Amino acid sequence: MPSADAKTKNGYPKIPRQNSYDVVIIGGAIMGSSTAWWLTESPDFNGSILVVERDPTIEKASTAHTNSCIRQQFSTELNVRISQFGADFINNVRDRMGGDERVPNLKIQSFGYLYLADTDGFADTLRTSQKVQLACGAATELLTAEAIKLRYPFYNVDDIILGSINRVNEGYWDGATVFSWWRRQAIERGVDYIGNEVVAITKNPNGTRVDGVTLASGETISCGQLVNASGPRAARTAAMIGVDLPIEPRKRYSWVFKAEHPIDQDLPLTIDPSGVHVRENGGGTYQCGGHTAIDPAVDVDDFEMDHAIWQDHIWPTIATRIPQFEAVKVISEWTGHYSMNVFDHNAIIGPHPEIGNFVFLNGFSGHGLQQSPAMGRGTAEWLTYGAYQNLDLSPFHFERIVNNAPYLERAII
């Protein structure tokens, strides 16, 4: 193989040091890096790892466009448990990362998520989901409109029937720092990262295993196991082995704005019944987001901003819900992508039922950052042991797609 130092891309070598690896991970953003890091944590994994990332800057990855928040308000027990582990990891990140004093101590800024229901049907969904959350030990409260107004007098709740909020381990966390340290420690522990792209995947003659991958630069790399952690490009990656994956890139628009009259208390991440959401950002600034009424799949390279949606939908919705936000100034705006699992809005992870060394890590539908500690750990467990050692993540396996058996998550933003 050519020298790994001969060519570089944004600080990564372009060419791998070896022509064979025990594990190849396609995608080096937060899911791929979490998996790589957790493999290095395992006392029972002694193999070689290659992470192939087409854009080492991560500028267009979902990881770079996230709200960076975590919540326990899900409708399925497994998703609640996943977030609870994530919260524990975040709040103890230095200890979790070996006591490395370079790693900062982090805490979740628990301003909470506040779901607002304006119909009896959605109110019933909040009640049902709260029962699931409380059974897991979450601190979710249900609030009448009057109770919301008493606690948060700045809201207009004239149309609201019920609210749901949890102020324990729900809110903002520094996902960029956790990602950075997963990647940095993984590299320090011997994981090879390259700035390249997988353009083809080769199977054995029987089609029962992946033999290797071909890089855009022409090299062919053999592998023992292959992980698809390619975010919004997941369906393209799966198509290379003839698998139809129900994952689509969906645009999600974000804005940071400054209010002329800031709220004098923390603003929960407020999910309006319209789907528009807004949260505390600090210093009299706030972050909000949403999407168009028609939410089509888009090209993975389409990051064009829809400027009309702010004026026609987002700002009017926010100003109606929080009248203090009648006078605001947009500071920044951007477009990102959800890796939307259009089948049931849940992750698709684990092995392919017929191509056993092809492992999915896809379709997080906007939950990826907060689920990355548990999902990376679980994927590393599967790669090492062929089974999960902590949380049983098998309900997310690909078989449910084949069997048309959705594992539905209702709490989607």
Side-chain angles (χ1 to χ4, degrees):
M1 298 291 290
S3 168
D5 297 325
K7 295 181 180 180
T8 62
K9 180 177 180 180
N10 296 320
Y12 285 4
K14 186 175 182 181
I15 310 301
R17 293 184 304 110
Q18 304 170 196
N19 58 15
S20 178
Y21 288 84
D22 293 294
V23 175
V24 172
I25 300 172
I26 305 175
I30 201 161
M31 283 297 174
S33 291
S34 175
T35 300
W37 182 84
W38 280 105
L39 283 170
T40 69
E41 280 284 287
S42 173
D44 297 317
F45 182 85
N46 298 309
S48 55
I49 307 166
L50 175 67
V51 178
V52 184
E53 173 52 53
R54 62 185 302 276
D55 178 19
T57 69
I58 313 295
E59 289 178 353
K60 293 186 177 181
S62 297
T63 299
H65 297 132
T66 173
N67 261 332
S68 199
C69 288
I70 188 168
R71 59 184 162 101
Q72 296 175 49
Q73 291 185 75
F74 285 95
S75 64
T76 56
E77 177 184 350
L78 183 52
N79 277 330
V80 178
R81 299 291 188 193
I82 286 168
S83 283
Q84 288 175 330
F85 174 72
D88 179 75
F89 189 95
I90 296 160
N91 288 328
N92 299 282
V93 66
R94 179 182 288 179
D95 289 342
R96 287 280 187 175
M97 303 192 81
D100 188 336
E101 293 186 358
R102 299 173 301 170
V103 178
N105 289 312
L106 302 178
K107 292 294 179 185
I108 297 168
Q109 297 179 24
S110 294
F111 43 65
Y113 278 62
L114 175 62
Y115 283 86
L116 297 174
D118 63 349
T119 65
D120 290 332
F122 189 32
D124 286 341
T125 297
L126 294 181
R127 294 185 184 102
T128 301
S129 295
Q130 190 215 23
K131 292 177 182 177
V132 174
Q133 296 151 20
L134 293 180
C136 295
T140 309
E141 300 176 78
L142 297 179
L143 303 176
T144 64
E146 293 76 14
I148 295 170
K149 192 70 173 179
L150 184 64
R151 189 177 298 187
Y152 301 106
F154 50 82
Y155 286 121
N156 171 9
V157 292
D158 290 348
D159 59 333
I160 297 303
I161 296 172
L162 192 68
S164 176
I165 190 168
N166 175 13
R167 290 291 304 272
V168 180
N169 286 331
E170 284 202 357
Y172 171 81
W173 61 287
D174 189 350
T177 292
V178 174
F179 160 65
S180 177
W181 278 103
W182 272 337
R183 178 172 61 178
R184 182 171 179 175
Q185 282 198 348
I187 292 171
E188 291 174 348
R189 295 173 179 184
V191 176
D192 287 348
Y193 276 67
I194 61 171
N196 214 314
E197 185 174 3
V198 171
V199 295
I201 300 172
T202 305
K203 294 184 287 187
N204 65 5
N206 294 328
T208 57
R209 288 185 61 83
V210 170
D211 281 342
V213 300
T214 301
L215 303 177
S217 50
E219 295 79 16
T220 298
I221 310 299
S222 62
C223 60
Q225 300 186 84
L226 182 65
V227 180
N228 178 3
S230 49
R233 297 175 181 270
R236 288 189 177 188
T237 301
M240 295 180 190
I241 60 166
V243 172
D244 185 15
L245 200 58
I247 294 172
E248 299 175 352
R250 299 288 184 90
K251 278 188 177 181
R252 292 297 179 266
Y253 302 96
S254 295
W255 296 262
V256 173
F257 64 86
K258 189 173 183 64
E260 182 176 343
H261 302 290
I263 296 168
D264 61 0
Q265 62 186 103
D266 286 344
L267 175 65
L269 196 157
T270 307
I271 301 98
D272 188 80
S274 66
V276 174
H277 54 87
V278 59
R279 69 165 172 86
E280 182 72 31
N281 201 51
T285 67
Y286 303 87
Q287 184 171 331
C288 66
H291 58 85
T292 53
I294 300 174
D295 187 25
V298 299
D299 187 84
V300 289
D301 293 314
D302 179 4
F303 291 91
E304 184 177 354
M305 193 71 185
D306 183 345
H307 297 285
I309 188 177
W310 167 259
Q311 192 67 33
D312 296 344
H313 179 49
I314 303 296
W315 174 67
T317 300
I318 293 171
T320 299
R321 185 62 59 203
I322 305 173
Q324 272 180 251
F325 289 165
E326 282 282 353
V328 301
K329 179 181 180 181
V330 173
I331 299 172
S332 62
E333 60 184 12
W334 63 90
T335 305
H337 290 159
Y338 271 10
S339 301
M340 184 65 78
N341 175 3
V342 297
F343 182 69
D344 61 10
H345 300 144
N346 262 314
I348 301 172
I349 71 168
H352 188 276
E354 297 176 0
I355 310 168
N357 67 335
F358 184 89
V359 177
F360 299 99
L361 189 56
N362 309 118
F364 294 94
S365 305
H367 311 143
L369 207 76
Q370 63 186 293
Q371 294 192 330
S372 58
M375 293 299 190
R377 180 184 66 173
T379 302
E381 290 170 351
W382 188 271
L383 293 168
T384 303
Y385 305 105
Y388 300 112
Q389 306 297 297
N390 289 282
L391 289 171
D392 179 9
L393 303 177
S394 59
F396 295 134
H397 280 191
F398 185 77
E399 282 95 337
R400 77 184 195 277
I401 312 297
V402 177
N403 296 329
N404 194 28
Y407 184 66
L408 190 64
E409 175 55 57
R410 299 185 184 279
I412 302 296
I413 299 176

